[in-house]
Amino acid sequence: MSPQLLWLRCETKEFERRAALTPTTSKKLIDAGFDIYVERDEQRIFDDAEFEAVGCKLVANNSWPSAPTDIPIIGLKELPESDAPLPHTHIQFAHCYKRQAGWSSILARFYKGKGTLYDLEFLTDDSGRRVAAFGFHAGFAGAAAGALACAAQKNGKALGQLEPYANEAAMVEAVKQALGGTGKGVKALVIGALGRCGRGAVDLFRKIGLDEDDIVKWDMAETAKGGPFQEILDVDIFVNCIYLSSPIPHFLTREQLQAAGKSRQLSVVVDVSCDTTNPHNPIPVYSINTTFSKPTVPVDVGPENPPLSVISIDHLPTLLPREASEQFSSDLLPSLLELPNRKTARVWVDAEKLFQEKLAEAVKAEGLA
């Protein structure tokens, strides 16, 4: 039987240092009979030599468009904008199944090229839970960024460029130092606190020294009454960690912020969920994704009111690139081992069925039928 081929593409998104495959998981796949091609990539946290040492075949940076079309291409973030048809099978986060900005044009590329998309966000187990997610590290890093922004704002400044940390301990120590040695006295609200992302945010707040009573943990029970929520205005940092699957009442509104005037305590919103272009975004007080180089965007809260900033970075886990990649890739491994049987293995069959449904919607929206 011929080996299963798999091609790890480089990531082209600025500051993105994570990888869908790590040397650890690549070796396990190779031991199971896979042949792994890895694009050379100086941006990735893992050196090319680490992949070569476990038996991967190194290929030129960003050369996947010329790879044989029978080799599945795996990556993390979305591909660069283009109209070029996509003839390959792609395994990635495409951010187009929930009708985000440009969703139909992204899927149209697969239609034109007769390629297939297996969206990593929608690979699920028997219970409907995602088989692999960056949620914990997204929440952990988002809470850290929020605390850093809060510290900067207290000093009358905007948060400067964020750089990835070598490990979790280094991140925790840096945040504590920015807050003067401890987070004690800071109050935070996490919505979605019972999920992977929310648990990560709560963990960071505990590790930087917030008192347990100052970490307000909300989930579906607390938000069932419907927003907007006054409670969000009464903390220093609000971290949104929900998974948005349907329209819900807004958590926070511009009108609410302006009406609060000087009585508002809230200084930083961290939208880890980052549904910025989703028409049902429950935090409609900002309209752009922020970046590592400019991590915050100010909110119009009315004249002479205390400042409020939003962090809406859509790849926060890359602040801890090695740990986040290892955890994600390890969780994805059992499904990848089923890739040779993707026409019968449930996780891949379900993912392809969803792709075909979304593709049909995009074809109609683009007038391609």
Side-chain angles (χ1 to χ4, degrees), residues 86-140:
L86 293 171
H88 293 90
T89 291
H90 284 264
I91 305 168
Q92 64 174 77
F93 290 101
H95 306 299
C96 62
Y97 281 6
K98 293 188 281 187
R99 299 196 171 221
Q100 297 97 322
W103 70 277
S104 58
S105 60
I106 294 170
L107 287 166
R109 297 179 64 190
F110 288 94
Y111 177 78
K112 294 171 184 175
K114 296 183 170 60
T116 301
L117 169 65
Y118 292 116
D119 196 307
L120 289 166
E121 185 177 348
F122 298 92
L123 295 184
T124 58
D125 62 18
D126 292 331
S127 65
R129 183 177 172 82
R130 290 167 63 179
V131 300
F134 283 102
F136 181 87
H137 287 97
F140 196 93

Side-chain angles (χ1 to χ4, degrees), residues 12 69 72 82 114 129-130 161 186 208 311 335 350:
T12 56
T69 56
S82 169
K114 296 183 170 60
R129 183 177 172 82
R130 290 167 63 179
Q161 180 167 311
V186 174
I208 64 171
I311 294 172
S335 297
D350 287 357

